[in-house]
Amino acid sequence: MSVRGALVALAAVRVVVPLAALAASGSKLPLLPRYDYVATTGDGSGFYAATREFLASWGRLGAPLVALLGVATVVVAALLVREWRRRRARRAYVLAGAALAFALLICAAVSQMNESGAAVFGWPLLWSLPMLPYRALGGPLDAGVAFGFGLVLSLVANVVTVGATYFVGVYATGRRAVGLAAAALFALWPLLTGVIAGSSAWQNGTWTVDAGLVMYTEPLSTALLTTALALLLSPRGTPMRMAVAGVALSFATAVKLTDGLLVALGLVVVALRRRAVAPYLAGAVSFLPLVAVYWPLGYASLFDNPNSWPRDPFSGSYVLSSWTDSLLFTPRLLLILLPLAALGALLLRDRRESGILVAWALLPAAFYSFYRVTWEHPRFIFASLPPVFVLWAVGTLGAVDRVRAGIHSAHPPATERT
């Protein structure tokens, strides 16, 4: 099977598994938890409320202002297209400018939104975009309809992560086998967690979030961060790729605020690899206006609600329980993943690439180790898994290669013995 065929098959696994669980709603399939369909639940209800608020906010702007924004959008789009055609060398900045213009347009509608209970707006924004023309054509909208739109987007995000994980592995090591092994581990992960970590890996929505069956931020966040990492590691670190990586990380920050930590790490990666820093920074700031405008409606509105924001949320005393009590990252799972991943970090010939993968995996995990409720919400660390899977693949294949070499040296072919 070709590499492309293998990736298509792996992507299909990532899609078929949640769809099978959805089709069998109310029943339990082998290797999977029992899944009972609910259109929105937990944080997903807040995100759905945010999509409805966003769709309604355009009407609150008033027809004259919406018309003016429409004209401005057409003018800006025409200018960007002209710059794209005339200045090939500056296309990276045109892309970053287009992302910024889009963010500013969205800010106009966000300014008319009411509080919805959603801490961040990146995922509700993406979720609402295909629903805009649907609503404009008079289509009815309820939680069930919204679930259909969101499910497609979540599954697409997981498919993107399969491909991005492959490219992270290939770009970091130069070996397609590593990329395929890492992508396979991500694709099969929904089938493995219960086997490795036990039924606790299915509790508190951990499995359904990973599978994309509830409308949470994690599939999109992981896809954006892994895609950005692949672009940053790409051998052809063109200004355009650096700008796209910056835009992806900027939008990821709107999806999940702590993803902003990786914006700073990305800048370090760009500098270390002597890539185009300016296009990366131009992309990295593109969605900051949206983050700032939505802030009063997001976390700032939740700090006084103990049900949404725990008292004393960060402390060094939480580090041990974040891992020893984790629903997913149990000692057995960590014993299977981490030793081989650590071996992979040591075996990777390019120490710089090894350091980048380790830092990309550790930064979110380290931050959330100090968070009070990480043990019961292991989804916070899902974005760390793709680089860990790449390192695990390096370690596993490296160990296999050394075993084979040892067997070969102990039992050389007859031609070599003679």
Side-chain angles (χ1 to χ4, degrees):
M1 182 184 291
S2 66
V3 170
R4 181 178 297 178
L7 288 175
V8 169
L10 293 174
V13 170
R14 252 295 180 169
V15 171
V16 167
V17 169
L19 289 182
L22 179 62
S25 176
S27 304
K28 187 183 183 308
L29 298 177
L31 301 179
L32 303 181
R34 175 190 171 96
Y35 170 73
D36 296 297
Y37 165 75
V38 179
T40 60
T41 182
D43 288 354
S45 299
F47 294 138
Y48 170 60
T51 65
R52 294 190 65 93
E53 267 297 309
F54 177 68
L55 293 173
S57 66
W58 293 98
R60 297 169 191 155
L61 287 169
L65 184 53
V66 170
L68 180 61
L69 288 172
V71 172
T73 300
V74 171
V75 171
V76 171
L79 292 174
L80 289 171
V81 169
R82 186 184 69 176
E83 288 298 304
W84 180 273
R85 291 175 175 174
R86 297 172 97 184
R87 303 192 181 187
R88 186 181 184 88
R90 300 186 65 81
R91 284 184 174 179
Y93 297 102
V94 174
L95 175 71
L100 175 61
F102 173 74
L104 292 175
L105 174 64
I106 298 302
C107 284
V110 171
S111 69
Q112 301 301 308
M113 289 176 60
N114 298 311
E115 295 177 10
S116 61
V120 286
F121 186 62
W123 165 238
L125 169 60
L126 181 64
W127 192 4
S128 67
L129 291 181
M131 289 191 278
L132 274 171
Y134 170 79
R135 289 292 287 157
L137 294 174
L141 181 62
D142 58 25
V145 172
F147 176 86
F149 284 101
L151 177 64
V152 172
L153 293 172
S154 294
L155 296 183
V156 168
N158 281 336
V159 167
V160 169
T161 304
V162 170
T165 301
Y166 167 77
F167 284 108
V168 170
V170 172
Y171 292 157
T173 68
R175 297 182 62 186
R176 292 181 179 178
V178 169
L180 283 175
L185 188 54
F186 179 80
L188 296 172
W189 193 243
L191 297 172
L192 298 175
T193 53
V195 175
I196 300 174
S199 60
S200 68
W202 299 336
Q203 296 175 10
N204 200 30
T206 300
W207 186 88
T208 50
V209 170
D210 180 52
L213 287 169
V214 290
M215 304 299 101
Y216 277 48
T217 61
E218 276 68 27
L220 177 58
S221 171
T222 303
L224 290 167
L225 295 182
T226 310
T227 299
L229 178 58
L231 291 168
L232 293 172
L233 293 175
S234 170
R236 292 182 62 247
T238 62
M240 177 60 73
R241 292 190 180 188
M242 296 304 98
V244 174
V247 170
L249 289 172
S250 187
F251 185 54
T253 305
V255 172
K256 191 174 181 180
L257 285 183
T258 51
D259 289 351
L261 297 171
L262 293 172
V263 175
L265 179 56
L267 178 59
V268 174
V269 173
V270 172
L272 287 176
R273 294 173 67 88
R274 298 182 180 179
R275 300 286 172 81
V277 172
Y280 171 81
L281 287 175
V285 301
S286 57
F287 280 91
L288 287 185
L290 179 60
V291 174
V293 170
Y294 189 76
W295 173 258
L297 304 175
Y299 275 107
S301 67
L302 302 176
F303 286 148
D304 294 329
N305 183 354
N307 294 323
S308 301
W309 187 253
R311 302 299 183 190
D312 302 319
F314 294 98
S315 172
S317 62
Y318 303 143
V319 173
L320 183 61
S321 62
S322 292
W323 298 97
T324 57
D325 297 334
S326 177
L327 297 179
L328 174 62
F329 298 104
T330 62
R332 188 198 314 180
L333 185 144
L334 294 177
L335 188 61
I336 291 173
L337 276 185
L338 295 189
L340 285 170
L343 177 62
L346 294 174
L347 293 179
L348 200 55
R349 293 180 180 179
D350 191 322
R351 310 313 302 169
R352 182 177 56 184
E353 309 293 61
S354 176
I356 291 171
L357 290 175
V358 170
W360 205 269
L362 279 183
L363 190 55
F367 177 87
Y368 280 110
S369 294
F370 294 89
Y371 191 41
R372 181 176 177 178
V373 296
T374 297
W375 69 273
E376 62 178 336
H377 297 288
R379 60 187 175 85
F380 296 153
I381 312 175
F382 281 176
S384 293
L385 288 174
V388 170
F389 291 162
V390 170
L391 291 171
W392 183 91
V394 174
T396 301
L397 294 177
V400 170
D401 290 343
R402 278 156 177 74
V403 169
R404 287 179 176 175
I407 295 174
H408 180 83
S409 61
H411 304 283
T415 54
E416 292 186 13
R417 292 198 295 268
T418 57

